[in-house]
Amino acid sequence: MNPLTELHEGLRISWGAIRANKLRSVLTTLGIVIGILTVTLMGTAIEGLNRSFLKSVSFIGADVLYVSRIDWMIYSNEEWMRMIKRRILTLEQAKELERQLTLASAVAPTADVTQPVHYKNRRSDAVDIVGGTEQHLQAGSMSIAQGRFLSPSEVKGGRPVCVIGSEVATNLFQGLDALGNRVTIGTRAFEVVGVLEKQGSFLDGGSVDNQAIIPLPQFVTFFWSYPDYLIQIKVRHLEQLEDAREELRGAMRRIRRLGPNDPDDFAINQQDQFVQMFHQVAGTIAAVGLFITGLSLFVGGIGIMNIMFVSVAERTREIGVRKAIGAKRRTILLQFLIEAASICLLGGLIGLGIAWPLTLLMQKFMPATLSPLVVSIALVVALVTGVLSGFFPAWRAARMNPVDALRNE
């Protein structure tokens, strides 16, 4: 008998046994259903969160370095207190950086405050008012949807012009053309010269599109006289990121007149810090989920093994007859392995059937994606669990002595 015939025969007999004991087969799969449901929902949530996270931090730019007084990742109050006492970054330091850096294509000092923005009787609250230069567009990895960005002459002359985010444009103009209109930021009037492309929300749920960018001299004159600047440095080539970071660190130490043994009194931040933090959190969630999944599958596997031993005992005489008429050990082994794997696969399919509507429900509260990869992993896990759980009962059946098996009543 060739292998394909053995496989076909094993499938036929196995599914016949499962259909003959429908209720027992379904009850046996409960542990597998819970395990597959857990691994599917966990994979769905993590994959959805990962996609949403990468999208939300994409505006930070993989090739942009951010110099600030305080590190983005602070893990203790002591660190915070130490950093908050550092000297602020100044506009003169940003200008000196631009002169010294050779691996940067743009250096953009920025500062921001929160103010309401008005247009006629419409209002957009808690708008992030950013004071920037003409290089902010390139360094901030932004795109213009309508109009243009701030020009060098407008920045140098401190003209009352602004570029607004898509959310501000929607709130104030409700689909109408925003260009050329004058909006009131705080108590000052600014002409809208551009609207930014939609960028989405950040990690805390705040919208990156809820901003208005004005020339830095206007910002310093009317909103914050001595701001604590954030300096954005766009690296010429991504592969030069680490070299650019070291060049930036050396330049900042010289500019801030730090001695050889003095610690840095500034922070250089980048996108990778958020990515690493997210992967640590996601790894912890995955570890907890895998433990729960493993526990469920272990319990389910024990149940499958127990039922398969019972099935072998009930069909001892059938095994004896098949071996007496020439069935090989591998044929008997394959038959019971297929039966165990089929029961687990049935549990996996039930688990996926339950996971699908739950995923749709999850999407109302968090990003969740039931991708083909997650489905494939769930089905493979179910099959592997079935093969491992059914191996010992199948091995016992395959090694039965046909004479002893035929004597069984």
Side-chain angles (χ1 to χ4, degrees):
M1 186 181 292
N2 63 57
L4 287 177
T5 305
E6 287 185 2
L7 182 61
H8 179 268
E9 187 71 9
L11 282 169
R12 186 182 63 80
I13 297 173
S14 299
W15 280 102
I18 292 172
R19 286 196 302 271
N21 299 279
K22 294 184 183 68
L23 182 59
R24 184 171 75 180
S25 298
V26 171
L27 291 176
T28 305
T29 64
L30 285 178
I32 304 299
V33 169
I34 295 171
I36 295 302
L37 181 61
T38 304
V39 74
T40 302
L41 293 180
M42 180 189 69
T44 295
I46 289 178
E47 185 170 343
L49 287 171
N50 187 53
R51 289 183 183 181
S52 176
F53 171 81
L54 293 177
K55 182 180 179 182
S56 70
V57 299
S58 62
F59 79 93
I60 296 176
D63 58 349
V64 181
L65 299 171
Y66 296 81
V67 184
S68 62
R69 185 162 54 110
I70 297 173
D71 199 305
W72 284 349
M73 301 298 159
I74 300 177
Y75 301 100
S76 68
N77 289 331
E78 290 75 15
E79 281 186 279
W80 169 260
M81 293 304 298
R82 177 171 54 82
M83 291 181 184
I84 204 69
K85 294 175 182 177
R86 291 173 173 174
R87 293 173 292 163
I88 64 172
L89 274 65
T90 66
L91 185 59
E92 289 69 27
Q93 291 172 358
K95 291 177 179 178
E96 185 60 32
L97 261 185
E98 187 173 6
R99 285 190 287 269
Q100 293 192 23
L101 296 181
T102 62
L103 300 178
S105 61
V107 177
T110 64
D112 66 299
V113 295
T114 300
Q115 291 282 330
V117 179
H118 301 264
Y119 174 70
K120 295 182 178 178
N121 61 343
R122 301 188 191 111
R123 172 188 176 106
S124 189
D125 290 317
V127 178
D128 189 28
I129 309 302
V130 180
T133 67
E134 70 278 4
Q135 297 190 57
H136 184 59
L137 180 68
Q138 182 183 357
S141 302
M142 297 177 290
S143 300
I144 294 291
Q146 300 174 37
R148 58 176 177 81
F149 198 67
L150 307 177
S151 68
S153 60
E154 288 169 338
V155 172
K156 187 175 181 180
R159 298 288 299 162
V161 294
C162 68
V163 177
I164 59 177
S166 61
E167 183 178 321
V168 178
T170 301
N171 291 342
L172 297 183
F173 298 99
Q174 301 178 355
L176 300 176
D177 188 7
L179 301 180
N181 290 300
R182 299 182 73 84
V183 298
T184 303
I185 302 176
T187 59
R188 306 292 301 179
F190 291 81
E191 180 186 348
V192 178
V193 297
V195 178
L196 297 172
E197 286 277 6
K198 185 175 178 62
Q199 298 181 48
S201 299
F202 194 45
L203 303 175
D204 57 2
S207 175
V208 185
D209 301 310
N210 190 35
Q211 65 172 318
I213 303 168
I214 64 175
L216 197 52
Q218 280 278 336
F219 181 89
V220 172
T221 302
F222 297 108
F223 296 99
W224 193 358
S225 300
Y226 300 100
D228 185 9
Y229 287 94
L230 169 72
I231 307 173
Q232 298 173 305
I233 292 89
K234 178 86 166 180
V235 179
R236 292 186 187 277
H237 304 288
L238 184 59
E239 58 270 17
Q240 296 178 322
L241 186 65
E242 287 306 313
D243 292 337
R245 184 184 177 94
E246 286 305 310
E247 181 188 48
L248 173 60
R249 180 171 179 263
M252 282 299 298
R253 288 184 63 85
R254 288 193 300 272
I255 291 169
R256 290 172 75 84
R257 302 183 184 280
L258 298 176
N261 298 321
D262 294 335
D264 293 347
D265 65 345
F266 56 90
I268 300 177
N269 300 296
Q270 60 190 97
Q271 186 190 79
D272 280 354
Q273 292 171 260
F274 283 113
V275 176
Q276 290 172 6
M277 178 196 69
F278 174 78
H279 285 161
Q280 290 175 354
V281 174
T284 303
I285 295 172
V288 173
L290 285 174
F291 174 76
I292 297 171
T293 299
L295 192 61
S296 300
L297 291 175
F298 178 76
V299 172
I302 293 297
I304 297 290
M305 187 181 294
N306 180 54
I307 289 301
M308 291 307 299
F309 273 124
V310 171
S311 180
V312 169
E314 290 176 347
R315 294 152 63 187
T316 300
R317 189 171 180 81
E318 174 196 324
I319 296 168
V321 171
R322 293 193 67 199
K323 297 194 77 171
I325 61 176
K328 297 179 180 179
R329 282 185 176 181
R330 71 180 185 191
T331 304
I332 304 298
L333 180 71
L334 184 62
Q335 173 192 331
F336 284 95
L337 283 179
I338 290 174
E339 187 172 333
S342 297
I343 292 174
C344 285
L345 183 60
L346 177 63
L349 292 172
I350 294 172
L352 287 172
I354 298 172
W356 172 251
L358 289 179
T359 300
L360 297 178
L361 183 63
M362 287 168 60
Q363 288 175 350
K364 297 182 179 180
F365 306 99
M366 61 181 293
T369 306
L370 186 57
S371 67
L373 177 62
V374 172
V375 172
S376 301
I377 290 173
L379 293 177
V380 169
V381 167
L383 285 172
V384 170
T385 303
V387 171
L388 294 177
S389 303
F391 181 77
F392 286 111
W395 181 254
R396 179 180 175 183
R399 292 182 62 83
M400 277 187 181
N401 186 304
V403 176
D404 294 336
L406 286 169
R407 286 176 184 164
N408 186 71
E409 294 296 337

